[in-house]
Amino acid sequence: MVTDSADMPVPRPAGPASPGESPAPARAARPGGPAAAPVVGMVGGGQLARMTAQAAIGLGVGFRVLAASAADSAAQVTAGTRLGDYRSRQDLREFAAGCDVLTFDHEHVPGEHLAALEQAGVQVRPAAAALRFTQDKLAMRARLTGLQIACPRFAPGRTLAEVTEFAAGTPEGWPVVLKAVSGGYDGKGVWVCGSPAEAEAVLAHGIGLIAEEYVAFERELAVLAARSPHGQGAAYPVVETIQRDGICREVIAPAPGLAPGRAAQAQALALRIAAELGVTGLLAVEMFETAGGLLVNELAMRPHNCGHWTIDGARTSQFEQHLRAVLDLPLGSPVPAAPASVMANVLGGDDQDVYGRYVHVMAADPAVKVHMYGKPVRPGRKIGHVTVTGGRSHRDVGELLDRARRAASYLRWGKEDGP
């Protein structure tokens, strides 16, 4: 789904900023030549930055990374790497000085630092005002419910009295989900508490918490949308995400068996949220599908695990799309390149020799695409992913899923059927 594109003038690479953003700085001309290509700086050196670097090469734009260590995933493959601390305003300022646009592969940069950079004229995309809604779950929930967007019931969870009062006021009562207001990911910072005693143990961590109702959902869905400063939007097909132990294990694109009307509703909802929050770049909207409809669960304003399939399975990868959006270029087509795609995350197993298992995976199924992140292997850690695309229709998803699972299992364990 693409919006505002058919009748929209082609945007200039450094077009007008969204509300609250500063105009993009003019790019210096090369001696005797045209203006240099813009430089995108990404704060964070993880796998998302690594895959964005690959997209930047194809687009011919400059790309730099602010990484904590030369061993970080993106730092290994990005010439324009600067080592520094994303929590340091000085490091951020020095990094931004060499970039036309600043963007992120995580949401943890302090908001006050981003606001200071914007005040100094740095082009931050997404802007600090938008990014706040991924850094503060209470702010996000309050904003979405204020927009009449359905979310799980919630309340501050600062004390046991607040949590027990919240549980008593919901139809289901216990269990109650407690989430860290900021900093959680991959299941970290999320606790399902079946009793006041369990909630009390979580509260003892002394971190900011939000209490949410426990949702009896049918499955988890996600929509990836992009929005440019000009207001052009594009939404990828709705996908189904399969989670185990709080970690996304597989993604199926498009979500099998999803009614066309509900799929369109989910895409329109993602585009609306992006517009209402003033997002520039990618927005991942994670949802619960329930008997009563869709509930928005989480937001991320960056490339996202739910979109890794797009590298091999869409006309425009999420990483290229993010670069196009933050540079205010016309957005690419989000249309699938095959009837169905399945992505399976590769988690770390018991030994480091992943490369030694390539021969079997590639010989057994040459159509499997393997993407590794250059990260040291630790049990349960995301170290890569595999993608399988094809099928004559979406009905062939079962076969694609089986192939992806077998490949990911072999890369992890050395056998196709698990440990």
Side-chain angles (χ1 to χ4, degrees), residues 244 249-250 344 357-366 368 401-419:
R244 288 198 287 278
R249 297 294 294 271
E250 290 119 16
R357 296 191 278 277
Y358 277 16
V359 172
H360 173 86
V361 170
M362 294 178 178
D365 194 342
V368 169
L401 185 58
D402 178 66
R403 290 164 58 195
R405 284 175 173 169
R406 285 190 282 117
S409 176
Y410 199 90
L411 290 168
R412 182 181 188 184
W413 301 114
K415 52 173 59 177
E416 294 187 357
D417 56 354

Side-chain angles (χ1 to χ4, degrees), residues 47-283:
Q47 64 261 28
L48 300 179
R50 182 186 180 105
M51 289 182 274
T52 306
Q54 294 172 299
I57 293 169
L59 286 175
V61 299
F63 187 73
R64 302 184 66 207
V65 167
L66 180 64
S69 162
D72 285 358
S73 181
Q76 298 172 30
V77 299
T78 306
T81 295
R82 182 184 183 93
L83 300 185
D85 187 345
Y86 67 85
R87 295 162 297 189
S88 164
R89 185 175 300 186
Q90 183 63 27
D91 286 356
L92 290 167
R93 184 182 298 114
E94 291 175 358
F95 176 66
C99 306
D100 294 289
V101 178
L102 200 66
T103 190
F104 314 93
D105 93 333
H106 61 71
E107 294 95 348
H108 306 314
V109 180
E112 61 271 20
H113 292 355
L114 297 179
L117 291 174
E118 290 172 335
Q119 286 293 320
V122 176
Q123 189 82 279
V124 178
R125 291 179 170 167
L131 203 61
R132 172 174 175 256
F133 296 109
T134 66
Q135 296 176 322
D136 185 328
K137 286 184 171 60
L138 269 173
M140 180 263 286
R141 284 280 185 260
R143 178 72 172 126
L144 293 183
T145 54
L147 294 169
Q148 304 301 308
I149 293 172
C151 301
R153 296 181 184 89
F154 73 98
R158 293 165 295 204
T159 65
L160 183 59
E162 285 184 336
V163 175
T164 53
E165 181 181 357
F166 172 75
T170 61
E172 298 82 7
W174 298 92
V176 166
V177 179
L178 293 181
K179 293 183 178 180
V181 170
S182 62
Y185 67 97
D186 281 350
K188 298 177 178 67
V190 179
W191 299 267
V192 179
C193 301
S195 67
E198 292 180 14
E200 188 172 27
V202 175
L203 287 161
H205 294 315
I207 59 175
L209 295 169
I210 178 174
E212 293 186 354
E213 67 173 320
Y214 183 83
V215 177
F217 57 85
E218 296 174 354
R219 59 175 169 174
E220 296 185 70
L221 303 173
V223 185
L224 195 65
R227 183 174 176 271
S228 73
H230 269 86
Q232 186 188 13
Y236 287 90
V238 183
V239 302
E240 178 178 349
T241 62
I242 300 171
Q243 318 275 336
R244 288 198 287 278
D245 300 323
I247 297 176
C248 178
R249 297 294 294 271
E250 290 119 16
V251 174
I252 305 171
L258 187 64
R262 179 156 288 185
Q265 175 195 4
Q267 290 176 304
L269 182 58
L271 289 166
R272 180 189 168 207
I273 293 172
E276 294 280 8
L277 302 188
V279 176
T280 299
L282 284 178
L283 172 70

